[in-house]
């Protein structure tokens, strides 16, 4: 099945959203391994069953974009985990001394590893062009969040063939963009990696990590892109029509437990404010999903509202 077959496939539709979080994507993979194992048992213990056989639309931000793309390409969670284990050190290779004044990690090895795995999964030969977002080897609809620094706006980019900027007659169709470049753009965390320059039609845009938008947790924007009219999927919403599974990378509520007010200088705030905003946005996305849907399972959001799970919400 190609992602194009998912557009008009009968429901209920299943959506999977994966948060950003760097190497903590390994935590995501532990949860996904259990989900895949449960689904295999429910489908007759098929050893070849993968998450792409179950989910219709997969989304991710930053490290979640890497995992989401791998799932959409039909990789098992075991294979994705091995990819992280084998290539984590080289993908996050320290930059040379001079470049460390700008970026912590080199980006060439990350880009090379992404290109390698994508070409392998799509069966691209050495002389073939880079597989694109519209490659038919993608088995699910795929959405990745990045931030367009050139326009100062979030860009959730999908391979939905009905989306406005994916039209085949557009010279700047997003479906013609190299898949590895989009993943790399979504993972370009400032200070850690250089930004990614992507040519779209006749224009070049500078992209950085999607975690610097409201959508480090892409669950609610994924729900909207699957259901609201302008995105042209218009899948029916409702408890028995749409399932959203959102997997995070963890947080530390005691990260600043011993903080001294005198430590909150300019450098402290410059380093901590972005992560505070990201956490607040992530929490809001989670809360919106639970308010507009029926939460089946999830940790408490805060002590006042709890988890908003179960019949009483």
């Amino acid at each position: 099945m190609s992602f194009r077959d998912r557009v008009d496939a009968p429901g209920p539709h299943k959506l999977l959203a994966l948060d950003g979080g760097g190497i903590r994507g390994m935590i995501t993979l532990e949860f996904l391994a259990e989900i895949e194992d449960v689904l295999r048992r429910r489908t007759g213990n098929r050893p070849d069953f993968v998450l792409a056989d179950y989910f219709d639309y997969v989304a991710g931000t930053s490290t979640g974009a890497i995992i989401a793309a791998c799932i959409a390409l039909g990789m098992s969670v075991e294979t994705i985990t091995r990819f992280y284990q084998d290539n984590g050190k080289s993908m996050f290779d320290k930059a040379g001394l001079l470049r460390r004044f700008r970026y912590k990690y080199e980006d060439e090895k990350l880009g090379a590893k992404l290109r390698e795995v994508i070409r392998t999964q799509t069966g691209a030969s050495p002389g073939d062009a880079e597989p694109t977002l519209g490659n038919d080897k993608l088995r699910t609809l795929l959405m990745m969040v990045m931030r367009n620094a050139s326009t100062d706006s979030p860009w959730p980019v999908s391979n939905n063939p009905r989306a406005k900027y994916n039209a085949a007659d557009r010279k700047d169709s997003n479906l013609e963009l190299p898949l590895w470049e989009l993943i790399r753009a979504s993972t370009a965390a400032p200070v850690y990696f250089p930004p990614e320059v992507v040519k779209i039609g006749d224009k070049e845009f500078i992209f950085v990590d999607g975690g610097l938008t409201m959508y480090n947790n892409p669950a609610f924007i994924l729900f909207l892109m699957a259901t609201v009219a302008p995105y042209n999927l218009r899948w029916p919403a409702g408890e028995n029509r749409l399932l959203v599974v959102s997997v995070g990378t963890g947080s530390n509520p005691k990260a600043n437990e011993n903080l001294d007010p005198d430590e909150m200088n300019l450098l402290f705030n410059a380093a901590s404010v972005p992560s505070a905003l990201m956490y607040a946005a992530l929490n809001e996305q989670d809360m919106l999903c639970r308010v507009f849907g029926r939460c089946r399972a999830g940790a408490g959001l805060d002590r006042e509202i709890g988890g908003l799970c179960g019949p009483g919400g």
Side-chain angles (χ1 to χ4, degrees):
M1 178 179 285
S2 164
F3 72 91
R4 299 176 192 275
D5 301 317
R6 304 276 187 172
V7 174
D8 293 314
H13 294 103
K14 283 87 68 178
L15 282 56
L16 176 64
L18 308 175
D19 291 10
I23 198 61
R24 296 203 314 271
M26 291 294 293
I27 298 173
T28 297
L29 289 167
E30 289 296 318
F31 281 98
L32 293 178
E34 182 64 23
I35 292 172
E36 189 175 70
D37 186 56
V38 169
L39 291 173
R40 281 179 176 173
R41 293 198 301 269
R42 290 183 178 180
T43 54
N45 291 314
R46 284 175 45 199
D48 61 338
F49 184 92
V50 293
L51 294 179
D53 293 318
Y54 182 78
F55 289 102
D56 300 293
Y57 205 161
V58 184
T61 303
S62 195
T63 196
I66 298 177
I67 299 172
C70 290
I71 290 172
L73 286 166
M75 296 171 65
S76 67
V77 177
E78 180 182 4
T79 302
I80 303 170
T81 302
R82 191 161 57 245
F83 170 69
Y84 266 68
Q85 291 171 337
D86 293 346
N87 300 295
K89 287 186 177 181
S90 60
M91 288 194 301
F92 295 97
D93 189 38
K94 291 288 181 68
L97 183 60
L98 292 177
R99 292 192 71 189
R100 279 187 213 175
F101 286 104
R102 299 177 63 196
Y103 313 114
K104 186 174 180 179
Y105 298 111
E106 298 279 8
D107 64 322
E108 288 86 356
K109 291 185 178 180
L110 173 59
K113 292 298 180 182
L114 291 174
R115 293 174 73 179
E116 179 184 329
V117 72
I118 291 169
R119 292 184 70 86
T120 298
Q121 292 302 126
T122 57
S125 300
D128 292 345
E130 296 295 339
T132 65
L133 181 62
N135 192 286
D136 282 330
K137 292 294 184 179
L138 288 163
R139 294 174 54 184
T140 74
L141 290 169
L142 171 66
M143 186 269 281
M144 296 168 288
V145 180
M146 56 208 74
R147 175 177 174 267
N148 188 330
S150 301
T151 62
D152 195 23
S153 58
W155 273 36
V157 177
S158 82
N159 63 351
N160 169 14
R162 292 181 179 169
K164 178 178 180 179
Y165 291 100
N166 290 348
D169 59 352
R170 294 184 66 100
K171 64 178 181 180
D172 60 349
S173 172
N174 289 337
L175 294 184
E176 299 303 317
L177 298 175
L179 179 58
W180 78 269
E181 277 194 356
L182 296 174
I183 302 172
R184 167 68 183 80
S186 183
T187 62
V191 180
Y192 291 91
F193 289 106
E196 184 72 16
V197 178
V198 179
K199 186 173 183 180
I200 304 176
D202 297 328
K203 298 180 180 180
E204 287 188 343
F205 295 98
I206 301 173
F207 288 96
V208 294
D209 197 308
L212 297 180
T213 72
M214 284 289 291
Y215 312 124
N216 194 49
N217 173 354
F220 194 67
I221 186 64
L222 173 62
F223 161 73
L224 294 177
M225 292 177 72
T227 57
V228 301
Y231 295 105
N232 291 321
L233 273 184
R234 306 185 190 196
W235 287 348
E239 185 176 333
N240 298 317
R241 295 178 171 183
L242 198 72
L243 170 70
V244 180
V245 177
S246 177
V247 183
T249 56
S251 62
N252 182 6
K254 298 183 178 181
N256 296 315
E257 188 175 28
N258 299 314
L259 179 65
D260 189 307
D262 292 335
E263 297 173 0
M264 300 182 67
N265 53 34
L266 181 62
L267 291 177
F268 173 86
N269 285 304
S272 62
V273 167
S275 62
L277 293 174
M278 286 170 61
Y279 179 77
L282 180 151
N283 213 48
E284 181 186 49
Q285 292 288 300
D286 197 350
M287 184 168 67
L288 287 170
C289 284
R290 300 186 193 200
V291 168
F292 283 90
R294 183 168 77 88
C295 180
R296 302 291 297 274
L301 296 172
D302 63 42
R303 293 181 180 179
E304 182 171 10
I305 64 174
L308 298 175
C309 292

